Amino acid sequence: MRRTPRRPHLEIFPDARAAAGRLADRIVGALAENPGLVLGLPTGRTPVAFYHELASRVEHGAADLSGATTFNLDEFVGIPANHPGSFRSFMNLHLFGRVNLRPERIHFLDGVADDTEEECARYERAIAAAGGIDVQILGLGTNGHIGFNEPAPALQARTHHVTLEPETRRDNAALFGGDPAAVPAEALSMGIATILQARQIVLIATGAAKASIIERLLREPVTTELPGSFLQLHPDVEIVLDEAAAAGLRAS
Ligand code: GLP
């Protein structure tokens, strides 16, 4: 799994299913090399197919997560972990409930912590105590956010409390009965520096809705107004796309 460091390396697949399968194979390979792998995990519609592929491999005995550790990128503020719209519930449904991760090695931000600042500091300490993140998997918001680092004139480097953009609340409405107003307005998220500290990063984006933001992420200068552009600064990033999400890269 050690590869020569290079600036975002692109892999383009015919469809979303093939992209998810490739990402699952890659993680299975990393687990075979390092059973104690520390993974950073995203939510969103995009990784659902990947989680399904990974869980299927575990169910068939082709992968083992019993020694692995996970840290999810972000969580909504103001709803408990067992709320059906929480990212924790999403992960339980799509991955944790199907695989042999040890519960004490699953790490999540607590969206109802009394002191969110301390909760964010605790998360940074937990990542450090685990030895840092080996492979950070990312999705991409249609506005270019990674985790919940929204476009802004300035970005917080470390895990922090964020206010969500209307576009992001719309994008996450499916978790809340389709109603953007029901989506919490705030969240806790790993910061850009927390993400960039991972030894390897793999971003997955599929579907035509991501074509324009993927093109901008790769072609525009690094800017806080497009948080995903910071991936250009990391020496070992792979971007896994389907043809639809790669369409803008082929156009010119
Ligand atoms: C949420 C998550 C992001 C994720 C994004 C994209 O906002 N916080 O980590 O990348 O959704 O979602 P989708 O894959 O549904 O487009």
Side-chain angles (χ1 to χ4, degrees):
M1 175 87 176
R2 280 256 72 85
R3 302 171 308 131
T4 315
R6 51 198 182 271
R7 290 290 138 75
H9 169 76
L10 290 180
E11 292 217 34
I12 301 170
F13 295 88
D15 54 37
R17 188 161 176 214
R22 153 71 185 144
L23 182 52
D25 287 342
R26 184 176 166 165
I27 298 305
V28 170
L31 282 163
E33 271 186 29
N34 174 12
L37 197 70
V38 180
L39 279 168
L41 299 176
T43 51
R45 281 150 297 191
T46 314
V48 168
F50 156 66
Y51 289 139
H52 174 70
E53 293 288 333
L54 182 60
S56 299
R57 283 159 175 73
V58 173
E59 284 162 359
H60 291 103
D64 178 12
L65 282 165
S66 63
T69 295
T70 66
F71 287 89
N72 264 78
L73 276 164
D74 45 17
E75 180 59 285
F76 293 110
V77 163
I79 56 172
N82 64 3
H83 185 289
S86 74
F87 282 163
R88 178 62 199 237
S89 293
F90 172 98
M91 292 303 302
N92 288 345
L93 175 68
H94 294 291
L95 187 70
F96 299 157
R98 293 180 59 188
V99 298
N100 60 346
L101 274 164
R102 284 170 52 184
E104 68 274 19
R105 295 213 180 115
I106 294 173
H107 298 271
F108 240 92
L109 282 154
D110 178 1
V112 290
D114 288 335
D115 181 346
T116 52
E117 209 171 304
E118 169 48 27
E119 173 60 6
C120 293
R122 177 196 70 78
Y123 211 57
E124 291 282 339
R125 289 195 298 271
I127 293 170
I133 292 172
D134 292 309
V135 184
Q136 175 69 58
I137 302 167
L138 295 174
L140 182 66
T142 51
N143 64 0
H145 74 228
I146 49 176
F148 268 142
N149 294 279
E150 297 279 39
L155 294 176
Q156 299 275 343
R158 292 290 164 189
T159 302
H160 59 292
H161 194 154
V162 295
T163 301
L164 301 176
E165 293 290 324
E167 182 176 348
T168 299
R169 294 176 74 198
R170 262 199 317 276
D171 284 354
N172 281 278
L175 295 171
F176 295 85
D179 177 10
V183 179
E186 293 170 32
L188 304 181
S189 176
M190 284 188 199
I192 291 288
T194 321
I195 292 169
L196 291 180
Q197 236 170 349
R199 287 180 264 281
Q200 298 183 321
I201 298 176
V202 188
L203 181 142
I204 181 164
T206 55
K210 298 288 168 70
S212 132
I213 197 69
I214 281 290
E215 183 186 7
R216 291 185 52 211
L217 182 156
L218 289 166
R219 294 203 169 143
E220 289 189 7
V222 176
T223 167
T224 59
E225 296 294 347
L226 202 174
S229 67
F230 274 75
L231 297 181
Q232 295 176 29
L233 302 177
H234 192 282
D236 197 344
V237 175
E238 183 173 324
I239 300 190
V240 175
L241 304 172
D242 66 355
E243 290 284 355
L249 303 175
R250 298 217 189 278
S252 50

